[in-house]
Amino acid sequence: MNCETRLHIDIGTTVHGWLKPISESEVAKAILTIDGESVAEWVADKAWHQFESFVATQSGELCIVWQSVETDVSVIYAFDPATVLEEGVRLAWTSERNRYPETSHHVHFHPPFGWMNDPNGLALIDGKYHLFYQHYPHTLRWGAMHWGHAVSEDMIHWVHCPVFLQPSLEVLSDVNGKGGCYSGSAVPTVDPLGLRVYYTAHVSRHLPDVQRQLSAVSHDLISPAVSDEVPLQRPKAAEGGGDFRDPYVFKGPDNRWKMLLGTRNSEAGIVLLYDSDDVHSPGGWRLVGPLHEDSSHGSSPAECPCMVPLQDESESGVTHWVLIYALLRSSDALTARRNLTYAIVGDFDGLRFKPRSKQELDFGTDCYAFQALTTPTGVRGIGWLANWTNFSKNADYPTAMTLPRLLAVKQDNLLVRPIPEVDRLRREMLDAGDLASKEGIALPDSAIEFSIHLAKPGASMRLIFSHTDFDLAVQVGPDGLEIHYVDPAIKITPRYLASNAKPSVLRIFLDRGAIEVFADDGRWVGSKRLSSFLPVTFARFEAVQEDIRRVEIWRLALNH
Ligand code: FRU
């Protein structure tokens, strides 16, 4: 069968596409014409999707044609490099395998196609937030890692940009399909304006150092120059097998550049610290040593460490540093939750970190690989609204990012609040009158926020949601604050519990595929990926009336 896609293009329009032969004996081929005149041919004969790029030198109607018996085209999109940061890419083709479900999240960021995990390279450049992410463009499953890219002025409304980093040929040709451009971070460049990314190259064949660090600059903000090696000494005490990844680069309190890396030894997850006076010379990093060790879950590798300064809201002028990292394969015996993320509030002089307190970042555990960024409007961050617990390489697993968050510290506690721009999603207030009735209230198929003020801290309540595929409720009770989520399709049912939490105010954000609970101004936060994109249909309250002071329900929507 002939497949084709058509789109109008102008001089300079750039088209990206990925294609591979249907079988080993075939050669994949796509013909590009403009207004009927042949302008290019894409040919691929490898076992993986080969990247092709075309830049138009004339305007007109571009038509790309291929035979589906011999050629598998995964994605095609077009963009104008001069305006792509405002207008985004125009998606021209996706296959069945990488098409992101059309009816998914209403207000949560997700990729335009393919798989997504960790947020990477969060940066604010020229008034725009740049969000990169772990991406596999060709299926809704984890694969050879690319970096996807999106930009936004408010961290709520995002524009999709061209794929930013692509795995090397060594990775693509690896039959295990493992590796690629793993997680990392970005810093702006000033003159000329741009950004520099630091990331991990995972190449299974590079023994013993399967994971190395690379760095690349980009001045057009949409494509990187060739990556440089970042030679890093590895301390004997943290040889940690293959785990040596996720560089997070930031300015320390001594005005020098710092890099964190996640690793482990046989007893603990470890965050390593490196130091440099020039972030733009990738060869200039010096090992300071282990910054922090966490043996609470044995030898679980620390993943995606990040560190930010925050003024304590309760003692003016005192700045603490918060170190956040995930512990892969960690598990909580009490609740059966896995892959926990910790936040340590402490003091940091640029070389040593002295913890003051430790807490879980998110009792729902689906705020993984959290990455934060210091901005003029506070420390903002975002996490992967999932973790590796229920993931399988053999099943589609579409995911999103959490709502963006604003961090604060008060009396040595990290507070995690939705960014203020989230308030602007409120469209109209829904009638909460029948919430406490037997039936409850019917909910529109949209994102919804429940704002609940309890009459006293820890007053028992249960907000029950009706869904065809799972049981879902948010409850406050003697054990604490809990997202009760029971999905019969998932073998083990953890208790998503903030033990002993006694909140008074809850903000609950419900979207297709997601629930997030922010309690007491960010003192407790729980985020949970929901396995179905079908909407919740009803909500009903079980509570003693006197225990509830106020309830507001808002319909939320993006500006279109
Ligand atoms: C965390 C993580 C990172 C790694 C990336 C690979 O979710 O395991 O440590 O860089 O995912 O996709």
Side-chain angles (χ1 to χ4, degrees), residues 349-367:
D349 63 4
L351 299 175
R352 268 163 305 274
F353 179 61
K354 283 209 199 96
R356 301 167 70 90
S357 66
K358 180 179 183 184
Q359 68 191 67
E360 276 185 30
L361 181 69
D362 191 294
F363 69 86
T365 66
D366 283 347
C367 176

Side-chain angles (χ1 to χ4, degrees), residues 256-537:
R256 289 174 60 79
W257 289 97
K258 310 289 162 187
M259 182 196 292
L260 305 181
L261 271 194
T263 185
R264 68 187 165 102
N265 63 17
S266 53
E267 279 103 48
I270 298 178
V271 177
L272 295 174
L273 176 66
Y274 295 81
D275 172 280
S276 165
D277 54 12
D278 180 8
V279 73
H280 299 298
S281 72
W285 292 93
R286 171 184 77 91
L287 171 68
V288 177
L291 180 79
H292 183 73
E293 301 195 9
D294 188 330
S295 56
S296 60
H297 296 271
S299 171
S300 324
E303 293 197 306
C304 301
C306 97
M307 200 174 186
V308 283
L310 287 163
Q311 283 205 356
D312 196 313
E313 289 186 349
S314 60
E315 308 162 55
S316 70
V318 178
T319 297
H320 296 308
W321 283 76
V322 181
L323 171 67
I324 299 171
Y325 53 88
L327 285 180
L328 184 67
R329 296 191 291 273
S330 56
S331 67
D332 177 43
L334 188 72
T335 58
R337 294 169 310 140
R338 289 172 52 203
N339 298 320
L340 307 163
T341 295
Y342 290 103
I344 317 284
V345 178
D347 296 314
F348 180 49
D349 63 4
L351 299 175
R352 268 163 305 274
F353 179 61
K354 283 209 199 96
R356 301 167 70 90
S357 66
K358 180 179 183 184
Q359 68 191 67
E360 276 185 30
L361 181 69
D362 191 294
F363 69 86
T365 66
D366 283 347
C367 176
Y368 201 77
F370 187 80
Q371 191 169 94
L373 172 75
T374 302
T375 78
T377 53
V379 173
R380 291 166 172 246
I382 198 163
W384 179 35
L385 215 170
N387 73 57
W388 298 106
T389 306
N390 297 313
F391 144 89
S392 147
K393 266 192 101 176
N394 306 316
D396 290 353
Y397 195 68
T399 63
M401 292 299 176
T402 63
L403 287 175
R405 286 141 197 228
L406 193 67
L407 305 188
V409 164
K410 205 172 189 173
Q411 285 165 342
D412 290 352
N413 286 318
L414 174 67
L415 306 179
V416 181
R417 304 159 175 158
I419 58 167
E421 289 86 340
V422 166
D423 295 0
R424 295 197 216 134
L425 290 170
R426 289 179 172 180
R427 288 293 167 270
E428 79 254 354
M429 223 204 268
L430 305 177
D431 184 1
D434 287 335
L435 195 61
S437 69
K438 209 163 139 234
E439 282 256 293
I441 57 164
L443 295 177
D445 178 8
S446 74
I448 294 170
E449 177 187 345
F450 294 79
S451 155
I452 300 169
H453 291 246
L454 301 176
K456 54 177 192 282
S460 289
M461 65 128 245
R462 194 167 150 84
L463 182 60
I464 304 163
F465 300 109
S466 310
H467 194 277
T468 46
D469 295 352
F470 46 70
D471 292 346
L472 182 66
V474 174
Q475 56 203 45
V476 179
D479 292 350
L481 167 64
E482 185 166 2
I483 299 174
H484 170 84
Y485 174 60
V486 182
D487 181 343
I490 298 174
K491 268 196 235 134
I492 297 171
T493 299
R495 284 190 75 187
Y496 299 101
L497 176 69
S499 290
N500 303 319
K502 293 201 181 324
S504 319
V505 180
L506 302 177
R507 287 183 78 182
I508 301 169
F509 295 90
L510 187 66
D511 196 352
R512 289 193 198 131
I515 187 164
E516 285 157 279
V517 180
F518 295 82
D520 283 14
D521 202 22
R523 174 67 189 82
W524 296 282
V525 183
S527 312
K528 189 73 208 84
R529 174 185 186 268
L530 306 175
S531 59
S532 155
F533 288 139
L534 291 175
V536 164
T537 47

Side-chain angles (χ1 to χ4, degrees), residues 117-118 134 142 145 182-183 245-246 303-304 368-369 388:
N117 56 290
D118 315 350
Q134 290 286 280
W142 192 84
M145 280 294 106
Y182 278 14
S183 286
R245 60 176 173 275
D246 307 339
E303 293 197 306
C304 301
Y368 201 77
W388 298 106

